[in-house]
Amino acid sequence: MRFSTIFAALLVPAAALAANFTVKVGNAGGLTFDPTEVQAQEGDTIQFVFLSKNHTVTQSTFANPCTKSSDTALDSGFQFVAANATTVPQYSFTMTNISSSTPLWFYCRQADHCQKGMVFAVNPTADKTFQAYQAKAMSLGSVNPGNTTTTTTNSSAVVPSGVPVTGSGTASGSGSAASATAAANSAYRVGATSVMMLSSIGLVAGLLL
Ligand SMILES: *[C@@H]1O[C@H](CO)[C@@H](O)[C@H](O)[C@H]1NC(C)=O
Ligand SMILES: *[C@@H]1O[C@H](CO)[C@@H](O)[C@H](O)[C@H]1NC(C)=O
Ligand SMILES: *[C@@H]1O[C@H](CO)[C@@H](O)[C@H](O)[C@H]1NC(C)=O
Ligand SMILES: *[C@@H]1O[C@H](CO)[C@@H](O)[C@H](O)[C@H]1NC(C)=O
Ligand SMILES: *[C@@H]1O[C@H](CO)[C@@H](O)[C@H](O)[C@H]1NC(C)=O
Ligand SMILES: *[C@@H]1O[C@H](CO)[C@@H](O)[C@H](O)[C@H]1NC(C)=O
Ligand SMILES: [Cu+2]
């Protein structure tokens, strides 16, 4: 987080009002977002760089951590990175019309990655913390381990295999969804700036291994 802030400041000193965050997805092969949370304001861009495996960054609600919050929720789609990849995919969105106090919640919808704690938060609060969100996500994994045969209703939908579908409860109307807009969608190349960022934080060597 600090890296990107400092780097952005060096790169574009004139654009000091908007900050850009770079979040590493699957760094060193882990089921992680790094950092796990950022504090972002209106106009800030959050860029996700996918460094391994086959992950997503997908928006959920706080109450239902491992479920896409709506059809229009932010979702990078699956971003596959081959072991010998020389470029990596990225996905970003810009905070628009979001007050800095509005939390946004994200997870990876690959298999059981969310239930293993692969979640991310923008602007978590004292009441709704990243830790609480992650704990809820991980509790979903232990409720019905391996129970994937129960959703006979419509398993052809977007529910990834291996994700236990717990009861669809209350509609948790915190209204956090869909207030950010996806700016650039996935591309299997990272722009020059991003490559420079990666180089500057010494990740490229790790990527190539
Ligand atoms: C943040 O990213 C946006 C869009 O990519 C760009 O227009 C802006 O100049 C960047 N800001 C900084 C401070 O780098
Ligand atoms: C990535 O994962 C998704 C969901 O499991 C799968 O459908 C897709 O084929 C995978 N992509 C690659 C290139 O393996
Ligand atoms: C990566 O490895 C795959 C299979 O191992 C191969 O088909 C592909 O050409 C390789 N790509 C590069 C860029 O080396
Ligand atoms: C932000 O919200 C205002 C009022 O709700 C609306 O007029 C404006 O178009 C919105 N801007 C964006 C970028 O969504
Ligand atoms: C799977 O979970 C459902 C509820 O989600 C429950 O009714 C069912 O008994 C469970 N099946 C097994 C084998 O645990
Ligand atoms: C599944 O959804 C489709 C439409 O998306 C619907 O036609 C079908 O009846 C549903 N099946 C069940 C078992 O609900
Ligand atoms: Cu994942």
Side-chain angles (χ1 to χ4, degrees), residues 54 78 80 110:
N54 184 359
F78 287 100
F80 175 76
Q110 178 66 273

Side-chain angles (χ1 to χ4, degrees), residues 24-34 49-55 81-83 113 116 118 203 206-209:
K24 291 173 266 177
V25 184
N27 190 30
L31 302 185
T32 54
F33 293 95
D34 178 17
V49 181
F50 295 83
L51 298 176
S52 70
K53 297 194 168 87
N54 184 359
H55 301 293
V81 180
H113 292 190
K116 287 180 173 168
M118 189 170 183
L203 278 172
L207 277 178
L208 299 176
L209 295 177

Side-chain angles (χ1 to χ4, degrees), residues 2 10-11 13 28 31 72 90 92 112 114 121 128 138 144 156 170 175 198 202:
R2 297 290 169 252
L10 290 173
L11 195 66
L31 302 185
T72 57
Q90 63 93 26
S92 65
D112 60 353
C114 179
K128 297 180 174 180
M138 296 179 80
N144 283 323
S156 63
T170 55
L198 287 170

Side-chain angles (χ1 to χ4, degrees), residues 148-161 163 165:
T148 58
T149 59
T150 57
T151 51
T152 51
T153 44
N154 241 325
S155 54
S156 63
V158 250
V159 181
S161 63
V163 176
V165 178

Side-chain angles (χ1 to χ4, degrees), residues 58-85:
T58 302
Q59 190 177 15
S60 79
T61 62
F62 180 78
N64 293 303
C66 302
T67 302
K68 191 171 173 176
S69 55
S70 76
D71 286 346
T72 57
L74 294 170
D75 188 356
S76 66
F78 287 100
Q79 302 295 337
F80 175 76
V81 180
N84 58 1

Side-chain angles (χ1 to χ4, degrees), residues 176-202:
S176 64
S179 2
T181 55
N185 216 319
S186 60
Y188 275 76
R189 294 184 60 80
V190 175
T193 302
S194 305
V195 171
M196 289 172 68
M197 282 188 186
L198 287 170
S199 304
S200 72
I201 55 182

